Structure formats: structure tokens, C-alpha cells
């Protein structure tokens, strides 16, 4: 049995701002852009990982969720309280400079972590934390 990650979800409050970040700053390709019943989902992914997609979705995109729950999720997103994802890179410092040049909010400049990676962190335009890690060798 072979189990692999195919999709993960990131909540965004403005798909156009999210696209500008994920496509233009990170270099991801847009794979799908779907509108349905007043909501929108956009899938993006790294050209080097054609079988892995990130779905940029509205906060709590569940049609059965109550309006109170949707509002609570939107408030948590606005506060930057939702978790994001961790990306791997072969050059943490170059990635940091590229993402910083896009105007993204810097949470952590590149540092060597005691658990064997060099990493940095940003917030995307919706407030999600994104980390970029490079495995250290030697």
C-alpha cells in the first residue's frame, strides 16, 4: 500500500490576493479556479510536484456549517490563529529573499534549528503561517 499526500487546504479571505502571493511570489501554477454557489476554490501547486495541490478555500467552506461557526473561523483567520503549511526548499535564504521581496509579512528570518533544518516563516495575505525549511547536510 502506497499512501501519498495529494491535497491540503488553506483558508483564505481574498482569492485574488492569495493568488498574487502563491502564484507570483512562490511561483506556483494555478491548476483550477472553481466558483460554486457563491464560493470559490482555487488549486495551486509547485511545478515540481504535479501530483500535490493546495486548495485555497474560504474559511470553513462547509455548506452545513452555521453562520456563527463561519464567523468564528473568519475571525481566527484574521488573527493569524490558523495553521498553514511547511514547504521544503533547497535554498532557504534565497527563498526568504524572494518571498520577502513580495512584501509578505516576515515572522522569522532564516535560522538553523536544533532539529536539523534551516527555516524561515511568513504570513500569507490571509494571515496563515507558512514555513520554508531546508534540510542541513553534514
Amino acid at each position: 500500500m502506497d499512501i501519498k499526500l495529494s491535497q491540503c487546504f488553506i483558508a483564505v479571505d481574498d482569492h485574488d490576493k492569495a493568488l498574487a502571493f502563491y502564484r507570483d511570489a512562490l511561483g506556483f501554477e494555478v491548476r483550477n479556479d472553481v466558483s460554486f454557489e457563491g464560493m470559490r476554490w482555487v488549486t495551486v501547486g509547485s511545478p515540481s510536484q504535479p501530483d500535490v495541490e493546495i486548495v485555497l478555500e474560504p474559511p470553513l467552506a462547509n455548506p452545513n456549517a452555521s453562520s456563527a461557526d463561519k464567523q468564528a473561523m473568519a475571525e481566527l483567520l484574521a488573527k493569524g490563529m490558523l495553521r498553514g503549511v511547511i514547504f521544503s526548499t533547497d535554498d532557504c535564504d534565497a527563498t526568504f529573499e524572494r518571498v520577502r521581496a513580495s512584501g509578505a509579512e516576515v515572522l522569522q528570518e532564516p535560522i538553523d534549528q536544533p532539529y536539523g533544518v534551516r527555516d524561515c516563516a511568513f504570513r500569507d495575505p490571509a494571515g496563515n503561517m507558512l514555513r520554508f525549511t531546508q534540510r542541513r547536510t553534514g
Side-chain angles (χ1 to χ4, degrees), residues 3-111:
I3 299 174
K4 298 178 180 178
L5 175 68
S6 67
Q7 294 181 322
C8 66
F9 297 83
I10 294 179
V12 300
D13 55 356
D14 184 320
H15 281 91
D16 294 325
K17 287 182 181 176
L19 268 176
F21 178 76
Y22 286 93
R23 181 191 56 219
D24 303 337
L26 299 188
F28 287 174
E29 56 191 19
V30 177
R31 300 195 180 143
N32 216 340
D33 191 339
V34 177
S35 295
F36 181 73
E37 296 188 0
M39 292 202 287
R40 182 179 178 196
W41 291 265
V42 177
T43 57
V44 296
S46 170
S48 65
Q49 286 187 300
D51 56 345
V52 178
E53 295 181 327
I54 296 171
V55 182
L56 304 173
E57 65 172 5
L60 198 57
N62 179 336
N64 299 318
S66 71
S67 59
D69 287 343
K70 289 180 181 181
Q71 181 62 34
M73 287 294 291
E75 290 172 5
L76 289 172
L77 178 64
K79 292 179 182 177
M81 300 297 287
L82 300 182
R83 302 295 288 184
V85 296
I86 300 174
F87 297 100
S88 65
T89 177
D90 59 355
D91 189 335
C92 182
D93 294 277
T95 300
F96 176 80
E97 292 304 329
R98 178 180 174 163
V99 177
R100 179 168 66 177
S102 76
E105 179 186 354
V106 176
L107 295 178
Q108 175 200 301
E109 294 196 11
I111 60 172

